[in-house]
Amino acid sequence: MTDSDDLSSWSDTATRRAIEGFVWSVVDGPDHVPEAERVAVFDNDGTLWPEKPMPTQLQYIVQQWRAAAKLAPELAQQQPYLAAVSGDFVWLGTAIDKHYDGDDTDFTVILDALVGLTDGMSVEDYARSVQEFYSSAQHPTLRRSYADAVYRPMVELLRFLEKHGFTCYIVSGGERDFMRPMTEANYGIPPERVVGTAFGLTYDVDNAEVRYAASLSFFDDGEEKPIRIWSRIGRRPLFAAGNSNGDMAMLDFARGGSQPGLALLIHHDDDAERGDVPYDAGAEKALSAATARGYTVVSVRDDWERVFPDLSPPAKPR
């Protein structure tokens, strides 16, 4: 395979060679798979861009919770509004880590407050609100736009797979309609190929509007991911990439077919101060089971030459 420049942000390691070798095998080699069956699925937070110090959607939600607490000050005395008002990102981040460890005590509190934010809002109004957020928001520690905070090697991997006949989807625990306004610009993935957690929806007959209900339709994590992949795509993925315990079922689904697929597990182990914080929290089970389950572990430290896109120089004044 003569595509060495396509994965230019990847180091020349066994991991990169495993990816290239697998793609060659199913495209031109002994394990040929028809192009229509080459489906690849990618988690989003922690896989295509950072999820620390908290997932991107939480930053958007924190803004909404702060505004709600300003209108109703009594909310500021209870979680998660208390964390939002006080800037306690540790509580929010720990709630996510506890969820991945099987404890949803605090995560349920977040979800209950989350669905109330969009109750009665039209899907178009929500999309506009999210687009406005992305137009100006910066990653809280990297201090760069979210468009410049994507993992460059993973975006290269998306293009590499597409070049070889794969159709790529995002399958995330993140909320579907929060991701859709940005996936095409940031990852080259159109909104119809985004699968994620979904709020309940209703149809307003009088105004011909689709609106959100104060409910969660489903939470696309863990064992729900293969179910949503099948219901939305109708094919078992041949390639899957994730980074947490919540991605294990999706990775196993890719590995478990008659033609075993490649399952990538991103390990955030970089201590080189390139901006990606090292951590194992929320991924301990996946990492410990990686060898037994046949996951290919991607070391951010060792397998990626570069982590983020190079920042463009500011435009010169006219």
Side-chain angles (χ1 to χ4, degrees):
M1 184 170 288
T2 59
D3 299 296
S4 58
D5 291 339
D6 291 352
L7 299 176
S8 60
S9 295
W10 291 74
S11 301
D12 185 14
T13 62
T15 302
R16 174 173 166 173
R17 291 191 291 274
I19 294 169
E20 293 175 327
F22 174 79
V23 172
W24 171 80
S25 180
V26 300
V27 174
D28 297 315
D31 300 314
H32 177 77
V33 175
E35 186 168 328
E37 298 176 20
R38 295 177 208 160
V39 170
V41 293
F42 288 74
D43 173 55
N44 185 41
D45 294 313
T47 300
L48 295 178
W49 67 5
E51 65 179 350
K52 298 296 182 181
M54 59 182 174
T56 306
Q57 188 165 6
L58 267 182
Q59 185 175 348
Y60 168 81
I61 293 166
V62 162
Q63 294 179 4
Q64 310 303 310
W65 284 338
R66 284 174 177 166
K70 188 174 182 180
L71 294 174
E74 65 276 9
L75 290 176
Q77 304 305 311
Q78 63 190 54
Q79 295 290 16
Y81 303 95
L82 175 60
V85 171
S86 64
D88 186 5
F89 298 152
V90 173
W91 185 88
L92 294 166
T94 301
I96 303 299
D97 290 341
K98 287 168 64 177
H99 158 71
Y100 284 130
D101 201 36
D103 180 358
D104 280 342
T105 305
D106 293 335
F107 193 69
T108 300
V109 173
I110 290 176
L111 288 179
D112 288 344
L114 177 58
V115 296
L117 289 175
T118 54
D119 183 22
M121 183 183 293
S122 75
V123 291
E124 286 90 354
D125 285 346
Y126 180 55
R128 281 189 287 270
S129 175
V130 172
Q131 287 170 336
E132 183 178 346
F133 167 81
Y134 282 126
S135 69
S136 59
Q138 289 191 327
H139 186 279
T141 56
L142 295 173
R143 301 301 178 192
R144 55 168 65 194
S145 72
Y146 279 103
D148 289 321
V150 299
Y151 291 136
R152 178 169 173 162
M154 297 303 288
V155 175
E156 290 176 355
L157 180 56
L158 288 168
R159 301 290 84 77
F160 178 75
L161 291 172
E162 290 171 349
K163 182 176 179 179
H164 292 93
F166 282 78
T167 302
C168 297
Y169 294 79
I170 295 175
V171 180
S172 175
E175 194 262 311
R176 176 194 62 207
D177 292 343
F178 182 80
M179 293 185 287
R180 281 177 166 172
M182 66 82 188
T183 58
E184 193 150 31
N186 287 5
Y187 307 134
I189 303 297
E192 63 269 21
R193 286 199 259 125
V194 176
V195 182
T197 295
F199 298 143
L201 296 170
T202 61
Y203 185 63
D204 179 350
V205 176
D206 293 336
N207 296 292
E209 294 272 17
V210 176
R211 299 186 183 276
Y212 294 103
S215 63
L216 188 70
S217 183
F218 57 84
F219 180 49
D220 189 35
D221 196 48
E223 294 177 7
E224 191 71 27
K225 285 196 171 188
I227 293 171
R228 293 301 154 188
I229 289 170
W230 186 258
S231 65
R232 282 288 307 279
I233 303 170
R235 294 186 186 275
R236 184 188 290 267
L238 191 63
F239 188 106
N243 75 295
S244 73
N245 299 335
D247 295 317
M248 292 176 69
M250 179 174 75
L251 299 180
D252 292 341
F253 192 42
R255 291 282 301 155
S258 57
Q259 167 64 54
L262 184 65
L264 291 187
L265 179 66
I266 311 302
H267 184 200
H268 295 278
D269 60 350
D270 189 12
D271 54 4
E273 298 183 353
R274 294 186 296 175
D276 192 57
V277 180
Y279 65 93
D280 289 348
E284 301 94 337
K285 295 177 183 178
L287 290 166
S288 65
T291 300
R293 297 192 182 212
Y295 302 160
T296 298
V297 178
V298 175
S299 165
V300 173
R301 179 189 60 206
D302 299 331
D303 293 322
W304 289 357
E305 287 283 346
R306 287 171 287 188
V307 178
F308 300 108
D310 297 329
L311 288 177
S312 302
K316 294 181 180 180
R318 294 183 178 180

